[in-house]
Amino acid sequence: MNWKFSPNKSDVNKKKKTKKREWFDAVIFAVIAATLIRVFFIEAYTIPSGSMEKSLLIGDYLFVSKVNYGARIPITPIAFPFAHHSMPVTGTKAYWDGVQWKYRRLPGLSDVKRNDVVVFNLPVGDTVALENQEPSYYNLVRESGWSVVNSQYTITSRPVDKRENIIKRCIGISGDVISMKGGVVSVNGKTEPLKNTGQMPYKIQLKTPDVNFDVFKELGFTVNEMTQIDADTYIANATPEMTDKLKSLDFIKSVDLSVKPETADDGDLFPLDTNRKWNVDNFGPIKIPAKGWRVQLDSHTMPLYYRAIRTYEGNKVEKKGDAWYINDKPATTYTFKMNYYWMMGDNRHNSIDSRYWGFVPEDHIVGKALFIWMSWDKGASFFHKIRWNRLLKGVN
């Protein structure tokens, strides 16, 4: 008996995919896969400024883990792939904020811990002057006035997950009491001196001005950034390890931290309260809000927690006479809905951080910095641009 295969009619009618269609499908699959990896697992990040020196340098390229703290479900789900808040060429919005989801986060491997290096959305990045590089619209308004800023610049608002990404070190977690005196941070009453991953300005006095500054270079100093006070005195950024080695040299007279006195008032620090005369080296104590913590509302606490209650947690906050009203109801206390953190740069005198804009809410946390996969020194010669000693180096 002869059997003859009879093809299915639908098979006969099927058209073979063209090369263009195959390429299109492959590209779509690759974009979807890369987007899922970027959103839920790991993302590349570039260090744009020197606020984290010596631990992280300008030109370091990092991988940031979304898994460690739990990936944040996109709050603004409709967005152009691989763009953050602006399109690369046109500068227009790379997202549509017509759809906004509530803050949710997948389970993570751990909570944010003290001394973690964290990438997060800039808390004061909710309002932006597009043509100005100043990261805080609010600083611009304080400096120039509302009418000037709003007439000279294009002002836009951004949802939480589309605010500028920045990287700092977590100095305090929710519930901690943090302060700083003489340039040294204290957490819950215990001093936490700066580790060798960060730097502070030091006043260096020499016994003689006749010094070979190559010695400073060998110890890690950036000689062209050292400020000369007089013939024998310089101000230079350094780590504790660098200063310990410097003190052992016979031409060094003294090495001391160069910090602001407690009486100095920087004026533009958080919480912008005229009753608090704080500066970058001396502030606090401040209690960092924790989910479920109830704070008493009065003239002392409201400057610290007003923005967290109103802006980050979405409440209507008003003062009528001497009384505070939250969502049109009189309130003497408030219970926080989220955990908060205190972030600071390792390069303590060259960092705009929580000392300027306060607490970082948990819904702003992006991920934990893991390791450097590439480091590029733009100022070096062609054959020395790659910092080979930093490749695949973990972030501590």
Side-chain angles (χ1 to χ4, degrees):
M1 182 181 291
N2 293 326
W3 295 92
K4 191 175 182 180
F5 174 71
S6 179
N8 188 291
K9 188 176 180 180
S10 62
D11 291 335
V12 173
N13 293 334
K14 275 185 178 178
K15 292 183 179 180
K16 186 179 179 180
K17 284 185 180 180
T18 65
K19 286 291 184 182
K20 287 184 179 180
R21 179 59 186 271
E22 288 179 354
W23 273 105
F24 178 79
D25 289 349
V27 169
I28 293 298
F29 175 80
V31 168
I32 292 173
T35 300
L36 291 174
I37 291 171
R38 182 172 177 262
V39 170
F40 294 105
F41 295 97
I42 198 166
E43 183 177 2
Y45 183 81
T46 308
I47 299 298
S49 72
S51 69
M52 286 296 291
E53 292 182 357
K54 297 282 188 173
S55 54
L56 296 172
L57 307 179
I58 296 173
D60 280 350
Y61 291 80
L62 316 175
F63 276 132
V64 176
S65 168
K66 306 293 183 71
V67 177
N68 283 63
Y69 305 139
R72 182 178 60 186
I73 304 299
I75 297 171
T76 312
I78 303 177
F80 191 84
F82 311 121
H84 183 42
H85 52 62
S86 302
M87 296 296 288
V89 178
T90 63
T92 54
K93 280 185 178 181
Y95 59 90
W96 182 56
D97 50 10
V99 176
Q100 292 282 289
W101 290 347
K102 289 184 178 179
Y103 163 65
R104 290 169 295 173
R105 191 179 291 275
L106 297 178
L109 302 178
S110 69
D111 296 327
V112 178
K113 298 177 182 177
R114 297 184 198 95
N115 291 317
D116 281 358
V117 177
V118 183
V119 173
F120 54 94
N121 299 116
L122 180 65
V124 292
D126 55 330
T127 307
V128 180
L130 293 179
E131 298 86 357
N132 196 287
Q133 297 301 312
E134 166 64 57
S136 173
Y137 160 83
Y138 304 100
N139 280 350
L140 283 176
V141 171
R142 283 194 294 272
E143 292 169 2
S144 305
W146 185 91
S147 59
V148 172
V149 173
N150 282 264
S151 62
Q152 291 185 355
Y153 304 107
T154 304
I155 308 302
T156 188
S157 60
R158 288 175 178 162
V160 170
D161 57 341
K162 297 302 177 184
R163 295 169 192 174
E164 205 69 52
N165 285 334
I166 61 173
I167 186 168
K168 305 290 178 187
R169 189 177 298 276
C170 179
I171 303 300
I173 61 175
S174 52
D176 283 348
V177 176
I178 192 165
S179 61
M180 195 172 190
K181 185 174 182 180
V184 179
V185 171
S186 291
V187 181
N188 300 324
K190 181 182 177 182
T191 58
E192 297 287 347
L194 189 66
K195 306 294 191 298
N196 288 323
T197 53
Q199 59 185 17
M200 285 282 288
Y202 286 84
K203 184 179 180 181
I204 303 168
Q205 289 190 300
L206 310 176
K207 293 179 180 178
T208 171
D210 187 19
V211 171
N212 182 359
F213 279 86
D214 286 342
V215 176
F216 284 86
K217 287 183 181 179
E218 292 172 2
L219 292 178
F221 286 86
T222 306
V223 174
N224 60 1
E225 293 180 0
M226 294 173 63
T227 303
Q228 187 171 8
I229 305 301
D230 55 42
D232 303 324
T233 308
Y234 292 82
I235 301 293
N237 284 325
T239 67
E241 182 182 41
M242 289 162 61
T243 58
D244 287 343
K245 293 177 180 177
L246 192 65
K247 290 175 183 177
S248 65
L249 301 178
D250 57 5
F251 62 84
I252 296 296
K253 183 178 180 180
S254 63
V255 181
D256 300 294
L257 266 176
S258 178
V259 296
K260 295 187 176 183
E262 290 186 62
T263 54
D265 181 10
D266 281 346
D268 59 349
L269 293 187
F270 174 82
L272 299 175
D273 180 12
T274 56
N275 294 319
R276 290 177 167 90
K277 306 297 183 183
W278 291 350
N279 59 59
V280 293
D281 296 314
N282 301 276
F283 65 81
I286 302 170
K287 182 162 184 176
I288 304 169
K291 185 177 181 179
W293 177 55
R294 180 180 293 179
V295 63
Q296 193 75 26
L297 304 181
D298 53 39
S299 59
H300 181 74
T301 59
M302 282 305 286
L304 291 170
Y305 304 114
Y306 175 84
R307 182 172 173 83
I309 296 170
R310 180 180 66 86
T311 304
Y312 304 146
E313 305 212 345
N315 297 287
K316 179 182 177 182
V317 182
E318 293 179 290
K319 187 177 184 183
K320 299 178 181 179
D322 293 330
W324 287 97
Y325 284 71
I326 297 179
N327 300 325
D328 298 318
K329 295 180 181 179
T332 57
T333 62
Y334 179 79
T335 302
F336 286 94
K337 303 170 188 174
M338 288 192 293
N339 289 317
Y340 292 78
Y341 306 93
W342 190 269
M343 307 286 186
M344 290 174 64
D346 284 354
N347 191 355
R348 290 287 164 83
H349 272 218
N350 189 29
S351 174
I352 305 298
D353 48 39
S354 283
R355 291 171 291 182
Y356 291 85
W357 31 252
F359 313 113
V360 176
E362 67 176 65
D363 65 350
H364 284 55
I365 300 296
V366 174
K368 181 179 181 179
L370 291 183
F371 65 90
I372 300 165
W373 62 271
M374 173 58 75
S375 186
W376 190 259
D377 187 354
K378 293 181 180 179
S381 62
F382 179 79
F383 295 103
H384 297 89
K385 283 189 177 295
I386 296 178
R387 303 185 184 107
W388 296 99
N389 63 329
R390 298 186 65 79
L391 269 57
L392 303 181
K393 180 182 179 181
V395 177
N396 299 313

